[in-house]
Amino acid sequence: MENLIKIDTGITGDYTNVGAYNFTFPKNYKQVLGVGVNVYKIGTATTLENVYLTGFNNTGFSFVKDCVEAARANTVKVAYTVFYV
């Protein structure tokens, strides 16, 4: 029973520019099994925003923020779910 998978969720800070980013978890995990990410838009979206998970470890994750029209990129937050034991 000790090794049951646990889940934490959170929301990162604001990201406007298209590019690669790193986020550090607010707490330390013994072993992260996976991370799920989703775009959390602020206000009315003017273009389509995407976030792609590019890696993770026990202390954080990395992602790329992309936008259909980079010149009109929206400010977004990234909602995340951490799966850990």
Side-chain angles (χ1 to χ4, degrees):
M1 299 306 267
E2 180 182 347
N3 290 332
L4 292 177
I5 297 173
K6 299 175 185 100
I7 298 173
D8 274 347
T9 59
I11 297 178
T12 67
D14 296 347
Y15 299 97
T16 303
N17 296 330
V18 169
Y21 294 95
N22 293 310
F23 179 78
T24 302
F25 297 128
K27 71 181 206 180
N28 294 324
Y29 298 103
K30 181 178 178 181
Q31 182 178 6
V32 172
L33 303 173
V35 177
V37 293
N38 199 2
V39 176
Y40 176 72
K41 294 183 176 147
I42 301 167
T44 303
T46 56
T47 62
L48 180 62
E49 306 281 336
N50 292 301
V51 172
Y52 306 100
L53 183 68
T54 56
F56 66 88
N57 58 34
N58 293 340
T59 60
F61 64 92
S62 54
F63 64 93
V64 172
K65 178 187 181 291
D66 194 10
C67 179
V68 172
E69 291 184 60
R72 296 175 47 205
N74 300 289
T75 298
V76 301
K77 292 180 185 292
V78 176
Y80 64 89
T81 303
V82 182
F83 303 90
Y84 67 99
V85 290

XYZ file of all heavy atoms in Angstrom:
661
model
N 0.812 -1.199 0.000
C 0.000 0.000 0.000
C 0.858 1.266 0.000
O 0.380 2.322 -0.338
C -0.913 0.014 1.220
C -1.891 -1.155 1.272
S -2.866 -1.304 -0.211
C -4.288 -0.390 0.203
N 2.103 1.148 0.348
C 2.970 2.306 0.452
C 3.234 2.967 -0.894
O 3.410 4.167 -0.979
C 4.303 1.891 1.078
C 5.281 3.022 1.229
C 6.606 2.568 1.806
O 6.680 1.443 2.313
O 7.565 3.340 1.725
N 3.233 2.203 -1.987
C 3.605 2.740 -3.290
C 2.425 3.129 -4.170
O 2.525 3.097 -5.385
C 4.496 1.738 -4.034
C 5.860 1.643 -3.401
O 6.333 2.590 -2.808
N 6.485 0.490 -3.525
N 1.314 3.493 -3.582
C 0.182 3.945 -4.388
C 0.524 5.275 -5.054
O 1.205 6.121 -4.491
C -1.058 4.124 -3.513
C -1.642 2.827 -2.949
C -2.812 3.155 -2.033
C -2.096 1.918 -4.072
N 0.054 5.443 -6.276
C 0.309 6.682 -7.016
C -0.501 7.819 -6.401
O -1.691 7.681 -6.140
C -0.049 6.501 -8.502
C 0.853 5.441 -9.129
C 0.078 7.822 -9.245
C 0.467 5.066 -10.542
N 0.170 8.942 -6.191
C -0.468 10.141 -5.642
C -0.478 11.220 -6.729
O 0.295 11.164 -7.682
C 0.297 10.618 -4.414
C 0.337 9.586 -3.300
C 1.222 10.066 -2.158
C 1.342 8.991 -1.118
N 2.565 8.227 -1.198
N -1.349 12.206 -6.537
C -1.498 13.276 -7.530
C -1.493 14.627 -6.834
O -2.133 14.804 -5.804
C -2.825 13.115 -8.316
C -2.826 11.809 -9.088
C -3.042 14.288 -9.252
C -4.157 11.500 -9.742
N -0.754 15.579 -7.394
C -0.803 16.988 -6.996
C -1.129 17.807 -8.244
O -0.763 17.430 -9.348
C 0.538 17.469 -6.447
C 0.719 17.188 -4.966
O -0.266 16.843 -4.294
O 1.864 17.331 -4.487
N -1.785 18.948 -8.045
C -2.076 19.843 -9.162
C -1.632 21.248 -8.808
O -1.458 21.584 -7.638
C -3.578 19.864 -9.499
O -4.294 20.301 -8.342
C -4.069 18.495 -9.930
N -1.441 22.071 -9.819
C -1.054 23.452 -9.592
C -1.136 24.256 -10.867
O -1.435 23.730 -11.938
N -0.869 25.545 -10.732
C -0.870 26.451 -11.872
C 0.402 27.286 -11.804
O 0.753 27.810 -10.749
C -2.115 27.359 -11.877
C -3.381 26.521 -12.016
C -2.032 28.386 -13.000
C -4.662 27.310 -11.981
N 1.080 27.407 -12.931
C 2.334 28.166 -12.994
C 2.048 29.653 -13.106
O 0.896 30.077 -13.140
C 3.151 27.736 -14.221
O 2.439 28.141 -15.400
C 3.399 26.245 -14.244
N 3.101 30.429 -13.238
C 2.986 31.872 -13.448
C 2.602 32.202 -14.875
O 2.245 31.338 -15.667
N 2.687 33.477 -15.222
C 2.281 33.956 -16.542
C 3.379 33.741 -17.581
O 4.555 33.983 -17.311
C 1.968 35.452 -16.491
C 0.784 35.770 -15.606
O 0.050 34.834 -15.237
O 0.603 36.946 -15.275
N 2.962 33.325 -18.775
C 3.865 33.172 -19.911
C 3.218 33.845 -21.109
O 2.084 33.551 -21.445
C 4.111 31.698 -20.225
C 4.755 30.959 -19.076
C 3.992 30.221 -18.191
C 6.124 31.020 -18.876
C 4.585 29.557 -17.131
C 6.719 30.357 -17.821
C 5.949 29.629 -16.951
O 6.531 28.982 -15.903
N 3.943 34.764 -21.748
C 3.420 35.460 -22.919
C 4.169 35.059 -24.181
O 3.566 34.721 -25.185
C 3.487 36.988 -22.728
O 2.761 37.330 -21.557
C 2.883 37.711 -23.914
N 5.474 35.098 -24.128
C 6.277 34.858 -25.326
C 6.302 33.382 -25.716
O 6.275 32.498 -24.865
C 7.715 35.333 -25.107
C 7.781 36.827 -24.883
O 6.952 37.580 -25.386
N 8.745 37.266 -24.105
N 6.367 33.144 -27.008
C 6.535 31.797 -27.531
C 7.967 31.364 -27.214
O 8.898 32.152 -27.329
C 6.283 31.790 -29.054
C 6.692 30.487 -29.681
C 4.824 32.113 -29.346
N 8.136 30.114 -26.766
C 9.482 29.633 -26.469
C 9.492 28.508 -25.462
O 8.448 28.003 -25.056
N 10.695 28.126 -25.043
C 10.895 27.022 -24.103
C 11.040 27.571 -22.685
O 11.667 28.610 -22.470
C 12.137 26.230 -24.488
N 10.459 26.854 -21.732
C 10.470 27.274 -20.331
C 10.711 26.085 -19.416
O 10.442 24.941 -19.789
C 9.123 27.898 -19.945
C 8.819 29.196 -20.647
C 8.053 29.202 -21.804
C 9.295 30.397 -20.158
C 7.765 30.397 -22.460
C 9.014 31.599 -20.798
C 8.242 31.580 -21.946
O 7.966 32.760 -22.580
N 11.166 26.386 -18.207
C 11.304 25.388 -17.143
C 10.490 25.850 -15.958
O 10.438 27.046 -15.657
C 12.771 25.235 -16.713
C 13.625 24.645 -17.804
O 13.291 23.627 -18.379
N 14.727 25.303 -18.105
N 9.859 24.921 -15.257
C 9.098 25.228 -14.055
C 9.553 24.295 -12.945
O 9.672 23.086 -13.153
C 7.588 25.047 -14.302
C 6.760 25.320 -13.078
C 6.488 26.621 -12.694
C 6.275 24.284 -12.304
C 5.739 26.881 -11.551
C 5.522 24.527 -11.172
C 5.250 25.835 -10.791
N 9.813 24.848 -11.777
C 10.220 24.058 -10.612
C 9.006 23.846 -9.715
O 8.307 24.812 -9.381
C 11.334 24.787 -9.832
O 12.441 25.001 -10.718
C 11.794 23.956 -8.642
N 8.770 22.596 -9.325
C 7.649 22.287 -8.436
C 7.831 23.010 -7.103
O 8.960 23.167 -6.630
C 7.557 20.781 -8.179
C 7.281 19.952 -9.395
C 8.086 18.866 -9.710
C 6.213 20.226 -10.229
C 7.840 18.083 -10.818
C 5.953 19.451 -11.350
C 6.776 18.380 -11.641
N 6.727 23.414 -6.461
C 6.833 24.100 -5.171
C 7.231 23.164 -4.022
O 7.520 23.632 -2.928
C 5.438 24.683 -4.959
C 4.537 23.897 -5.841
C 5.370 23.405 -6.981
N 7.238 21.869 -4.248
C 7.706 20.937 -3.223
C 8.508 19.826 -3.884
O 8.441 19.644 -5.103
C 6.554 20.377 -2.393
C 5.646 19.405 -3.100
C 4.534 18.946 -2.155
C 4.001 17.593 -2.524
N 2.941 17.142 -1.635
N 9.277 19.106 -3.096
C 10.117 18.025 -3.620
C 9.365 16.705 -3.613
O 8.615 16.416 -2.681
C 11.389 17.883 -2.785
C 12.286 19.088 -2.906
O 12.383 19.696 -3.972
N 12.939 19.461 -1.826
N 9.576 15.909 -4.652
C 8.962 14.595 -4.759
C 10.045 13.527 -4.764
O 11.118 13.730 -5.340
C 8.137 14.485 -6.049
C 6.988 15.459 -6.103
C 7.076 16.609 -6.882
C 5.836 15.232 -5.382
C 6.015 17.510 -6.939
C 4.774 16.124 -5.423
C 4.877 17.259 -6.211
O 3.835 18.137 -6.243
N 9.728 12.380 -4.171
C 10.683 11.270 -4.144
C 10.851 10.676 -5.536
O 11.957 10.437 -6.005
C 10.203 10.207 -3.159
C 11.117 9.021 -3.038
C 10.598 8.022 -2.009
C 11.510 6.821 -1.929
N 11.002 5.844 -0.963
N 9.717 10.436 -6.219
C 9.776 9.880 -7.570
C 8.557 10.332 -8.369
O 7.438 9.926 -8.104
C 9.815 8.354 -7.531
C 9.936 7.745 -8.911
C 10.016 6.228 -8.875
O 9.885 5.610 -7.839
N 10.214 5.630 -10.028
N 8.789 11.181 -9.377
C 7.721 11.641 -10.263
C 7.579 10.632 -11.394
O 8.536 10.293 -12.074
C 8.032 13.048 -10.828
C 7.016 13.438 -11.885
C 8.060 14.072 -9.707
N 6.359 10.136 -11.593
C 6.076 9.156 -12.638
C 5.631 9.806 -13.936
O 5.812 9.246 -15.013
C 5.006 8.175 -12.163
C 5.331 7.413 -10.875
C 4.125 6.619 -10.431
C 6.535 6.533 -11.085
N 5.021 10.972 -13.834
C 4.531 11.650 -15.023
C 3.993 13.032 -14.690
O 3.731 13.347 -13.543
N 3.837 13.838 -15.729
C 3.309 15.191 -15.593
C 2.347 15.439 -16.743
O 2.652 15.104 -17.889
C 4.439 16.249 -15.628
C 3.866 17.655 -15.567
C 5.431 16.033 -14.501
N 1.185 15.996 -16.442
C 0.242 16.417 -17.467
C 0.162 17.939 -17.463
O 0.212 18.553 -16.400
N 0.057 18.564 -18.640
C -0.017 20.022 -18.719
C -1.208 20.447 -19.571
O -1.653 19.709 -20.448
C 1.279 20.642 -19.303
C 2.437 20.448 -18.361
C 1.606 20.101 -20.675
N -1.699 21.644 -19.276
C -2.813 22.204 -20.021
C -2.706 23.721 -19.986
O -2.205 24.293 -19.026
C -4.145 21.750 -19.400
C -5.299 21.892 -20.352
O -5.138 22.283 -21.495
N -6.499 21.585 -19.872
N -3.194 24.380 -21.018
C -3.157 25.842 -21.096
C -4.326 26.418 -20.303
O -5.464 25.987 -20.442
C -3.248 26.316 -22.565
C -3.312 27.829 -22.641
C -2.075 25.797 -23.363
N -4.022 27.414 -19.475
C -5.024 28.145 -18.715
C -4.955 29.585 -19.204
O -4.002 30.304 -18.919
C -4.717 28.039 -17.217
C -5.629 28.828 -16.332
C -6.956 28.432 -16.127
C -5.169 29.956 -15.684
C -7.786 29.155 -15.291
C -5.994 30.685 -14.851
C -7.299 30.277 -14.664
O -8.119 30.997 -13.843
N -5.919 29.996 -20.012
C -5.881 31.315 -20.632
C -6.368 32.396 -19.674
O -7.255 32.167 -18.860
C -6.714 31.322 -21.907
C -6.095 30.423 -22.958
C -6.837 30.457 -24.262
C -6.059 29.607 -25.243
N -6.842 28.935 -26.193
N -5.771 33.570 -19.821
C -6.141 34.731 -19.017
C -6.893 35.689 -19.923
O -6.340 36.156 -20.912
C -4.879 35.411 -18.448
C -4.095 34.420 -17.586
C -5.244 36.646 -17.650
C -2.708 34.886 -17.229
N -8.150 35.956 -19.628
C -8.931 36.855 -20.471
C -9.386 36.177 -21.746
O -9.395 34.962 -21.870
N -9.745 36.976 -22.736
C -10.235 36.471 -24.009
C -9.064 36.124 -24.924
O -8.183 36.949 -25.138
C -11.120 37.524 -24.698
O -12.181 37.865 -23.808
C -11.686 36.994 -25.995
N -9.069 34.923 -25.435
C -7.990 34.488 -26.323
C -8.194 35.070 -27.711
O -9.301 35.082 -28.233
C -7.965 32.970 -26.393
N -7.113 35.547 -28.312
C -7.184 36.081 -29.673
C -6.560 35.128 -30.686
O -6.796 35.261 -31.875
C -6.467 37.437 -29.763
O -5.124 37.279 -29.310
C -7.175 38.475 -28.916
N -5.743 34.183 -30.222
C -5.149 33.170 -31.095
C -5.092 31.844 -30.337
O -5.269 31.800 -29.126
C -3.719 33.547 -31.536
O -2.887 33.634 -30.378
C -3.681 34.846 -32.297
N -4.827 30.786 -31.059
C -4.747 29.457 -30.457
C -3.383 29.259 -29.810
O -2.351 29.426 -30.448
C -4.970 28.389 -31.530
C -4.910 26.950 -31.065
C -5.993 26.654 -30.045
C -5.025 26.015 -32.260
N -3.364 28.917 -28.530
C -2.136 28.678 -27.780
C -2.005 27.186 -27.497
O -2.993 26.510 -27.222
C -2.171 29.407 -26.435
C -2.458 30.880 -26.532
C -1.253 31.692 -26.929
O -0.113 31.243 -26.717
O -1.449 32.784 -27.455
N -0.775 26.697 -27.544
C -0.494 25.300 -27.216
C 0.697 25.229 -26.279
O 1.594 26.063 -26.346
C -0.172 24.491 -28.481
C -1.371 24.340 -29.379
O -2.391 23.814 -28.980
N -1.249 24.825 -30.602
N 0.700 24.209 -25.420
C 1.832 23.939 -24.547
C 2.191 22.478 -24.711
O 1.319 21.603 -24.652
C 1.493 24.248 -23.075
C 2.608 23.793 -22.153
C 1.243 25.733 -22.890
N 3.486 22.209 -24.949
C 3.965 20.846 -25.146
C 4.969 20.506 -24.058
O 5.964 21.219 -23.893
C 4.636 20.707 -26.513
C 3.764 21.152 -27.655
C 3.919 22.400 -28.237
C 2.757 20.320 -28.145
C 3.111 22.809 -29.273
C 1.937 20.723 -29.190
C 2.128 21.969 -29.746
O 1.321 22.375 -30.773
N 4.726 19.439 -23.334
C 5.656 18.957 -22.317
C 6.882 18.386 -23.016
O 6.761 17.565 -23.928
C 4.980 17.874 -21.473
C 5.785 17.314 -20.311
C 5.967 18.369 -19.227
C 5.087 16.090 -19.742
N 8.070 18.832 -22.620
C 9.293 18.342 -23.259
C 10.162 17.522 -22.317
O 11.110 16.889 -22.757
C 10.126 19.500 -23.842
O 10.414 20.437 -22.798
C 9.368 20.187 -24.970
N 9.858 17.525 -21.028
C 10.625 16.718 -20.084
C 10.191 16.987 -18.656
O 9.560 18.003 -18.369
N 10.540 16.066 -17.766
C 10.248 16.257 -16.350
C 11.229 15.437 -15.519
O 11.863 14.509 -16.010
C 8.802 15.880 -16.009
C 8.491 14.415 -16.172
C 8.697 13.528 -15.123
C 7.991 13.921 -17.362
C 8.414 12.175 -15.274
C 7.698 12.577 -17.525
C 7.912 11.701 -16.465
N 11.358 15.821 -14.252
C 12.121 15.048 -13.280
C 11.479 15.244 -11.912
O 10.350 15.732 -11.836
C 13.610 15.441 -13.311
C 13.827 16.910 -13.049
O 13.107 17.548 -12.283
N 14.835 17.473 -13.700
N 12.169 14.907 -10.846
C 11.584 14.986 -9.506
C 11.460 16.416 -8.983
O 10.807 16.641 -7.968
C 12.400 14.153 -8.522
C 12.298 12.676 -8.822
O 11.378 12.229 -9.503
N 13.238 11.903 -8.334
N 12.072 17.377 -9.649
C 12.037 18.757 -9.159
C 11.244 19.716 -10.047
O 10.941 20.824 -9.630
C 13.468 19.317 -8.997
O 14.125 19.282 -10.264
C 14.258 18.510 -7.970
N 10.912 19.311 -11.274
C 10.182 20.220 -12.152
C 9.941 19.632 -13.529
O 10.168 18.445 -13.755
N 9.473 20.495 -14.435
C 9.235 20.045 -15.810
C 9.589 21.161 -16.777
O 9.710 22.325 -16.409
C 7.784 19.587 -16.006
C 6.734 20.658 -15.824
C 6.279 21.394 -16.903
C 6.185 20.896 -14.572
C 5.297 22.370 -16.752
C 5.205 21.861 -14.407
C 4.766 22.604 -15.489
N 9.778 20.788 -18.033
C 10.061 21.764 -19.084
C 8.977 21.649 -20.147
O 8.395 20.581 -20.352
C 11.453 21.546 -19.671
O 11.603 20.225 -20.109
N 8.721 22.776 -20.804
C 7.667 22.802 -21.815
C 7.963 23.880 -22.847
O 8.783 24.767 -22.623
C 6.295 23.036 -21.171
C 6.142 24.370 -20.483
C 5.608 25.462 -21.155
C 6.532 24.529 -19.160
C 5.461 26.680 -20.518
C 6.393 25.748 -18.520
C 5.852 26.823 -19.190
N 7.284 23.769 -23.966
C 7.361 24.776 -25.026
C 5.983 25.399 -25.176
O 4.978 24.693 -25.256
C 7.813 24.139 -26.361
C 7.698 25.144 -27.503
C 9.229 23.606 -26.248
N 5.940 26.720 -25.197
C 4.691 27.451 -25.461
C 4.709 27.845 -26.926
O 5.660 28.456 -27.407
C 4.598 28.698 -24.587
C 3.338 29.521 -24.857
C 3.401 30.833 -24.089
C 2.190 31.683 -24.293
N 2.034 32.242 -25.616
N 3.653 27.488 -27.626
C 3.546 27.773 -29.051
C 2.254 28.549 -29.290
O 1.324 28.501 -28.490
C 3.539 26.464 -29.844
C 3.775 26.666 -31.326
O 4.134 27.787 -31.726
O 3.589 25.702 -32.080
N 2.201 29.265 -30.402
C 1.027 30.059 -30.730
C 0.870 30.086 -32.245
O 1.855 30.186 -32.973
C 1.200 31.479 -30.195
S -0.170 32.575 -30.546
N -0.363 29.995 -32.706
C -0.623 30.008 -34.148
C -0.109 31.299 -34.770
O 0.488 31.291 -35.836
C -2.131 29.814 -34.412
C -2.446 30.027 -35.883
C -2.564 28.431 -33.979
N -0.322 32.425 -34.096
C 0.185 33.714 -34.564
C 1.079 34.289 -33.469
O 0.605 34.963 -32.563
C -0.962 34.677 -34.850
C -1.808 34.287 -36.048
C -2.864 35.336 -36.326
O -2.491 36.497 -36.583
O -4.052 34.995 -36.276
N 2.364 34.004 -33.544
C 3.302 34.378 -32.482
C 3.284 35.870 -32.169
O 3.443 36.269 -31.019
C 4.715 33.938 -32.855
N 3.053 36.696 -33.160
C 3.039 38.149 -32.939
C 1.860 38.589 -32.080
O 1.894 39.662 -31.476
C 3.013 38.877 -34.275
N 0.819 37.772 -32.003
C -0.373 38.104 -31.211
C -0.551 37.139 -30.042
O -1.668 36.896 -29.587
C -1.610 38.049 -32.103
C -1.597 39.092 -33.211
C -2.774 38.934 -34.150
N -4.034 38.771 -33.454
C -5.111 38.170 -33.955
N -5.075 37.677 -35.168
N -6.207 38.051 -33.261
N 0.542 36.603 -29.520
C 0.473 35.599 -28.457
C -0.241 36.130 -27.213
O -0.081 37.285 -26.838
C 1.874 35.129 -28.090
N -1.035 35.275 -26.603
C -1.762 35.602 -25.378
C -0.905 35.297 -24.158
O 0.002 34.473 -24.211
C -3.031 34.752 -25.276
C -3.959 34.977 -26.439
O -4.565 36.024 -26.560
N -4.056 33.989 -27.313
N -1.231 35.933 -23.055
C -0.630 35.564 -21.780
C -1.418 34.385 -21.232
O -2.652 34.425 -21.167
C -0.664 36.732 -20.792
O 0.100 37.807 -21.348
C -0.074 36.335 -19.453
N -0.702 33.329 -20.876
C -1.340 32.124 -20.349
C -0.623 31.663 -19.090
O 0.504 32.071 -18.818
C -1.332 30.964 -21.378
C -2.060 31.359 -22.647
C 0.071 30.513 -21.683
N -1.300 30.848 -18.331
C -0.694 30.094 -17.249
C -0.732 28.641 -17.697
O -1.496 28.285 -18.587
C -1.475 30.260 -15.947
C -1.403 31.672 -15.362
C -2.190 31.747 -14.073
C -2.262 33.144 -13.521
N -1.019 33.687 -13.048
N 0.085 27.801 -17.100
C 0.088 26.380 -17.429
C -0.398 25.620 -16.206
O 0.218 25.691 -15.130
C 1.494 25.905 -17.842
C 1.500 24.407 -18.098
C 1.963 26.647 -19.083
N -1.531 24.949 -16.344
C -2.025 24.079 -15.286
C -1.299 22.745 -15.415
O -1.080 22.258 -16.516
C -3.534 23.884 -15.424
N -0.887 22.169 -14.285
C -0.159 20.904 -14.335
C -0.685 19.916 -13.303
O -1.258 20.298 -12.286
C 1.352 21.124 -14.142
C 1.726 21.683 -12.782
C 1.989 20.829 -11.705
C 1.818 23.050 -12.568
C 2.323 21.330 -10.465
C 2.147 23.550 -11.341
C 2.411 22.694 -10.286
O 2.727 23.192 -9.055
N -0.494 18.656 -13.623
C -0.804 17.556 -12.707
C 0.450 16.715 -12.585
O 1.051 16.351 -13.588
C -1.954 16.692 -13.254
O -3.091 17.529 -13.483
C -2.323 15.583 -12.292
N 0.862 16.421 -11.346
C 2.045 15.607 -11.086
C 1.577 14.262 -10.558
O 0.800 14.198 -9.595
C 2.956 16.269 -10.022
C 4.193 15.436 -9.789
C 3.310 17.675 -10.419
N 2.056 13.187 -11.165
C 1.783 11.823 -10.715
C 3.054 11.319 -10.046
O 4.109 11.284 -10.685
C 1.406 10.930 -11.885
C 0.206 11.445 -12.656
C 0.375 12.301 -13.731
C -1.071 11.071 -12.287
C -0.717 12.783 -14.440
C -2.174 11.558 -12.984
C -2.000 12.417 -14.054
N 2.975 10.949 -8.773
C 4.190 10.578 -8.051
C 3.909 9.469 -7.028
O 2.759 9.172 -6.728
C 4.794 11.803 -7.355
C 3.949 12.361 -6.228
C 4.238 12.046 -4.909
C 2.878 13.196 -6.474
C 3.473 12.551 -3.862
C 2.102 13.710 -5.462
C 2.409 13.393 -4.140
O 1.644 13.872 -3.131
N 5.001 8.892 -6.529
C 4.890 7.914 -5.427
C 5.696 8.432 -4.261
O 6.575 9.263 -4.428
C 5.383 6.507 -5.817
C 4.432 5.873 -6.806
C 6.787 6.526 -6.350
